Amino acid sequence: MITLAVFDMAGTTINDGGAVYDALREAVEETGVSVAPADLQTWMGTEKRAAITALIELGGGDPEMPADRVSRAYDRFSALLTEKYTAQPPTPLPGIATAISQLRAAGIKVALTTGFSRDIATGILDAIAWGVGPEAPAASAVVVDALVCGDEVAEGRPAPYMIQRAMEATGVHDVSSVLAAGDTLVDVQAGINSGAALTFGVLTGELRPTDFADLCDSAPRTAEVIASVADIPARLGIADVQS
């Protein structure tokens, strides 16, 4: 029986118009290196300082020259993302609010995980009127039980630590009662690495079913591709979800 559902944010539950991809690429390229699309996709969903470090190296640069190269690029990433979100505010993906409400009504806790720092993540949630935990504002359109950010654990995705921190935050002890979902390869790998009962790669981001094929084949009993998190309540036999 599933007692906790752990969902990624941008591209999985929230439509940001690809702003994270663009801001990350631009911030790294402003350091003087090029970013290959395949490398960008590989590092999407990871903690953003780690992603910047890796992308600089992959572009032929030295992330430690100068010593503040990564921190300056991260600050620039944050500024670019703010600009893009101001111009085109993020919105919940279709059917997600209903799905989260249905899961929680069925007694399943819901946690969000993200490669963002908490200030960025909470800013996004505030903008769409989503609240976290018992202190969520009464006017919240959606309430989730926990939020875990990439800089709050020892290592971000594909390590399982954010999922494990979500379990800790929600009081869930048995990973075999956990479901995870995300739109990137590292989201799915983190779910598999955690031992979650079910891990879904969703198609609301930039990837297609074939992109997830190798990972799902590596864990055929626990990992699969679905169209959207909005389909999960029906997948669990809870209710049909209208988008």
Side-chain angles (χ1 to χ4, degrees):
M1 176 181 177
I2 299 299
T3 61
L4 171 64
V6 182
F7 300 143
D8 172 55
M9 287 180 57
T12 300
T13 53
I14 295 168
N15 178 15
D16 77 338
V20 178
Y21 282 79
D22 293 339
L24 185 58
R25 176 183 52 77
E26 291 172 28
V28 173
E29 289 183 340
E30 286 180 9
T31 72
V33 303
S34 61
V35 177
D39 292 337
L40 182 63
Q41 181 56 63
T42 295
W43 284 90
M44 284 306 299
T46 64
E47 194 277 321
K48 295 303 176 281
R49 288 180 181 84
I52 289 167
T53 300
L55 290 170
I56 290 173
E57 290 179 334
L58 288 166
D62 184 346
E64 297 183 357
M65 292 296 292
D68 64 347
R69 190 174 190 177
V70 171
S71 61
R72 289 172 62 186
Y74 179 81
D75 290 344
R76 182 62 178 144
F77 162 75
S78 297
L80 285 165
L81 191 63
T82 298
E83 291 174 10
K84 293 177 187 300
Y85 281 169
T86 299
Q88 183 178 341
T91 58
L93 282 161
I96 301 300
T98 299
I100 291 174
S101 296
Q102 289 180 323
L103 291 170
R104 296 185 79 235
I108 298 172
K109 296 178 180 179
V110 175
L112 299 178
T113 59
T114 178
F116 297 140
S117 58
R118 184 162 286 265
D119 59 332
I120 294 176
T122 55
I124 294 170
L125 296 181
D126 288 346
I128 62 173
W130 286 18
V132 180
E135 297 181 0
S140 296
V142 171
V143 174
V144 297
D145 298 283
L147 168 67
V148 181
C149 300
D151 59 352
E152 297 173 343
V153 292
E155 185 180 347
R157 305 178 185 118
Y161 304 139
M162 283 200 289
I163 294 172
Q164 293 165 348
R165 182 65 63 86
M167 292 174 62
E168 179 183 3
T170 56
V172 173
H173 299 159
D174 186 357
V175 73
S176 69
S177 71
V178 175
L179 173 158
D183 68 299
T184 68
L185 297 179
V186 292
D187 292 329
V188 174
Q189 187 65 67
I192 293 170
N193 289 343
S194 74
L198 294 169
T199 299
F200 296 111
V202 299
L203 304 178
T204 46
E206 300 293 324
L207 299 184
R208 304 276 63 85
T210 52
D211 296 313
F212 291 108
D214 288 345
L215 276 176
C216 291
D217 288 346
S218 74
R221 290 180 294 180
T222 62
E224 63 182 88
V225 177
I226 59 174
S228 168
V229 162
D231 298 331
I232 288 178
R235 174 66 174 74
L236 297 180
I238 291 172
D240 291 333
V241 179
Q242 300 297 322
S243 58

